[in-house]
Amino acid sequence: MANNLLLIFCLLFSDTIQLGSTLPEQPSQINSNSILVALLDSRYTELAELVEKALLLPTLEQAVYTGNLTIFAPQNEALERELDPEFKRFLLEPGNIKFLQTLLLHHILPIKLTQGSWPTEPTESTRHSALSNDLVEFSCSFSSNHSQVTNKYVGAVKVVHPGSIVRPDGIIHGIEKVIIPKSVEHAFNNRRSLRSISAVKPEGAPEIDPRTHKMLSEKKANSVPIDAHAHSKLSIYEAMAPAPSLAPAPAPGPGVPHHHFDGERQVKDFIQSLLHYGGYNEMADILVNLTNLATEMGKLISEGYVLTVLAPNDEAMAKLTTEQLSEPGAPEQIIYYHIVPEYQTEESMYNAVRRFGKVAYDTLHVPHKILAKEADGSVKFGDGEDAAYLFDPDIYTDGRISVQGIDGVLIPPEEKKKAKIANQNVKKFNKPRRGKLLEVACSLLRVFGQDSQLIKCQEK
């Protein structure tokens, strides 16, 4: 009996050992001596912050599990002051996170390259694949007699602190500036090319039929003689096919006969950015579902105009009453008052209010304007209870549309006064008053001394 139990125990023990050998090996935790911990605690704080914003820590942790890393870390000055502000803004836009990830992964190799890994001959160069799947070239410069290495390079960027941080699972080399992959550079140049941001095209403005105030088709426009002194530019308000309350006004930008801008795509991009950013679902819903303003804005952008949208967040939109939204055309008028026919960023508006104290911006809700001023280090729109602060700056900026998040819904002061007057008139109208015919009857009865018989005549 004892021998049988011993045999069963041995069989079970052997099966357990075999099962354990077939289980996948779990990756060990990142320890305090890891190259990733060293990066996050190093002097390369700007790079570490970008890695966190790009959500790359899990990717780098997995790379450390499978092998060593070489990180080429730009100096803080290169990322903070020397990098083109427009390019940095482009990288930090919510919709461009893939370009930021590509740029950062271009600085990281899945192998450990020590200082001795660079070529030793003047004519030599080596290439290694980065985590972005791009090839990175390594080269050196030598002294005049080719006997001594003077500088090491990664692409065209000089390594200023080789072997700055060394850990068992990787190494960090400090470099002079940022290495920009061709794919990211190409995407940025496409975004800011003259074709996509130029507001003026040398092709003349669209023609307008003076009888109908509508744009002529290309065929009709070519058949109509053009008067060089006539004002033929289509105003931004007429281009929106507005309601009667929106009177024409001088256009802030010229129109063009052909669609040089894909306005529909740009409006779609900015609405997707609102949804991706979070907290602006109500604004996006009004633009797309409750009104046709998204389509109208797309037409404006296609005609060469620029817009700045002051977008109230969901918390602010929740304060709107059903009465404010149920009146015909009310949602459109509310949004019109939050659209400025200029291209403004958080920086440009703040600089303006700092310099001039108060700035009045035109809106598409003609003739109402938005008054902006500096307050608490930010831009404040309006006054009183309905004032709003610039809460989320530069949610979307592409050279044509700028979206600035605010923490309140703006109401024109004139409309507030009209609402108060309307309420007062309603109260006065509800007060009981005698008609003119009844007053005449009571005066006649009073002459004959019989007015006391009529109850209505006794009322004051």
Side-chain angles (χ1 to χ4, degrees):
M1 182 68 177
N3 292 335
N4 291 337
L5 289 175
L6 182 60
L7 179 60
I8 293 172
F9 175 77
C10 291
L11 290 173
L12 289 174
F13 184 71
S14 63
D15 289 342
T16 304
I17 294 175
Q18 185 176 1
L19 179 62
S21 63
T22 59
L23 288 174
E25 184 179 354
Q26 296 296 324
S28 58
Q29 295 294 322
I30 297 293
N31 58 49
S32 59
N33 201 30
S34 171
I35 194 66
L36 291 183
V37 176
L39 173 65
L40 297 178
D41 294 337
S42 68
R43 61 183 176 181
Y44 304 107
T45 54
E46 290 291 325
L47 177 64
E49 185 178 345
L50 287 180
V51 168
E52 291 182 350
K53 286 183 177 180
L55 308 177
L56 283 179
L57 283 179
T59 303
L60 297 184
E61 288 177 5
Q62 189 62 37
V64 169
Y65 293 148
T66 57
N68 294 330
L69 293 182
T70 297
I71 301 174
F72 295 99
Q75 301 178 98
N76 281 345
E77 294 78 8
L79 287 168
E80 190 174 16
R81 291 191 292 271
E82 298 175 10
L83 196 63
D84 182 2
E86 287 188 24
F87 181 64
K88 190 172 183 180
R89 190 179 299 117
F90 166 78
L91 292 175
L92 296 179
E93 287 181 10
N96 295 334
I97 188 172
K98 63 178 181 180
F99 297 119
L100 177 60
Q101 291 175 340
T102 300
L103 181 137
L104 294 174
L105 293 177
H106 194 73
H107 291 72
I108 304 173
L109 274 61
I111 56 176
K112 188 174 183 179
L113 291 180
T114 61
Q115 298 184 46
S117 302
W118 268 262
T120 56
E121 296 295 331
T123 57
E124 286 184 358
S125 65
T126 58
R127 291 186 176 185
H128 295 281
S129 181
L131 289 181
S132 61
N133 295 325
D134 297 321
L135 287 176
V136 182
E137 186 174 355
F138 297 85
S139 59
C140 292
S141 62
F142 292 81
S143 59
S144 57
N145 57 3
H146 305 297
S147 61
Q148 187 178 2
V149 174
T150 55
N151 289 304
K152 295 180 173 68
Y153 291 90
V154 182
V157 178
K158 184 169 68 174
V159 179
V160 291
H161 298 292
S164 177
I165 300 174
V166 181
R167 293 291 185 271
D169 57 358
I171 186 170
I172 296 177
H173 300 290
I175 58 178
E176 190 175 27
K177 57 183 181 180
V178 180
I179 310 170
I180 302 177
K182 292 293 183 183
S183 59
V184 178
E185 183 180 3
H186 180 70
F188 173 65
N189 288 335
N190 282 347
R191 176 63 65 89
R192 69 169 187 175
S193 65
L194 290 178
R195 183 174 179 82
S196 64
I197 67 172
S198 176
V200 181
K201 295 288 179 182
E203 298 190 12
E207 297 299 317
I208 308 170
D209 188 338
R211 296 166 299 179
T212 61
H213 255 296
K214 293 182 178 180
M215 292 177 57
L216 294 173
S217 64
E218 185 178 356
K219 183 177 180 181
K220 291 182 179 179
N222 292 334
S223 64
V224 178
I226 299 176
D227 184 359
H229 301 286
H231 296 283
S232 59
K233 292 179 180 178
L234 184 65
S235 75
I236 190 170
Y237 308 98
E238 289 182 324
M240 288 191 71
S245 61
L246 288 178
V256 288
H258 304 290
H259 288 223
H260 287 278
F261 311 104
D262 190 352
E264 184 177 347
R265 180 191 63 79
Q266 289 176 280
V267 170
K268 183 179 179 181
D269 285 349
F270 106 72
I271 291 176
Q272 286 180 341
S273 295
L274 274 181
L275 298 173
H276 181 76
Y277 193 90
Y280 292 89
N281 296 334
E282 294 294 332
M283 181 72 175
D285 188 52
I286 289 180
L287 289 173
V288 177
N289 298 322
L290 194 58
T291 68
N292 63 344
L293 291 181
T295 303
E296 293 183 359
M297 291 173 67
K299 292 178 182 177
L300 283 176
I301 300 302
S302 296
E303 295 298 334
Y305 297 100
V306 292
L307 301 174
T308 297
V309 181
L310 303 177
N313 57 20
D314 288 345
E315 185 177 351
M317 296 294 287
K319 296 178 182 178
L320 288 175
T321 63
T322 306
E323 295 178 355
Q324 289 176 298
L325 292 173
S326 60
E327 294 182 7
E332 287 87 350
Q333 299 303 328
I334 291 174
I335 302 302
Y336 283 151
Y337 190 59
H338 289 75
I339 300 178
V340 177
E342 304 174 22
Y343 185 82
Q344 296 286 344
T345 63
E346 185 265 345
E347 182 179 4
S348 65
M349 287 191 288
Y350 184 71
N351 289 340
V353 296
R354 281 289 302 273
R355 182 177 181 183
F356 301 108
K358 291 184 179 180
V359 179
Y361 292 104
D362 289 322
T363 69
L364 296 188
H365 190 3
V366 179
H368 302 298
K369 297 186 176 185
I370 291 177
L371 189 65
K373 61 183 178 181
E374 191 272 337
D376 302 327
S378 180
V379 182
K380 180 181 179 183
F381 302 97
D383 288 307
E385 297 179 356
D386 296 320
Y389 285 86
L390 206 164
F391 188 68
D392 289 318
D394 298 338
I395 294 176
Y396 181 86
T397 52
D398 67 351
R400 308 298 313 167
I401 303 175
S402 171
V403 181
Q404 308 294 328
I406 58 177
D407 62 355
V409 178
L410 302 172
I411 305 295
E414 293 83 352
E415 293 195 356
K416 293 185 209 173
K417 293 179 182 177
K418 289 180 182 179
K420 289 182 180 179
I421 293 173
N423 291 335
Q424 292 174 359
N425 290 339
V426 169
K427 292 179 181 179
K428 290 180 180 178
F429 182 78
N430 289 336
K431 289 182 180 179
R433 53 180 297 183
R434 295 183 298 182
K436 193 67 178 175
L437 183 62
L438 183 59
E439 291 181 0
V440 173
C442 290
S443 62
L444 290 175
L445 291 174
R446 194 174 296 112
V447 171
F448 295 100
Q450 297 181 2
D451 58 318
S452 60
Q453 297 179 7
L454 192 61
I455 298 177
K456 291 289 184 181
C457 293
Q458 299 175 5
E459 296 179 357
K460 295 183 179 180

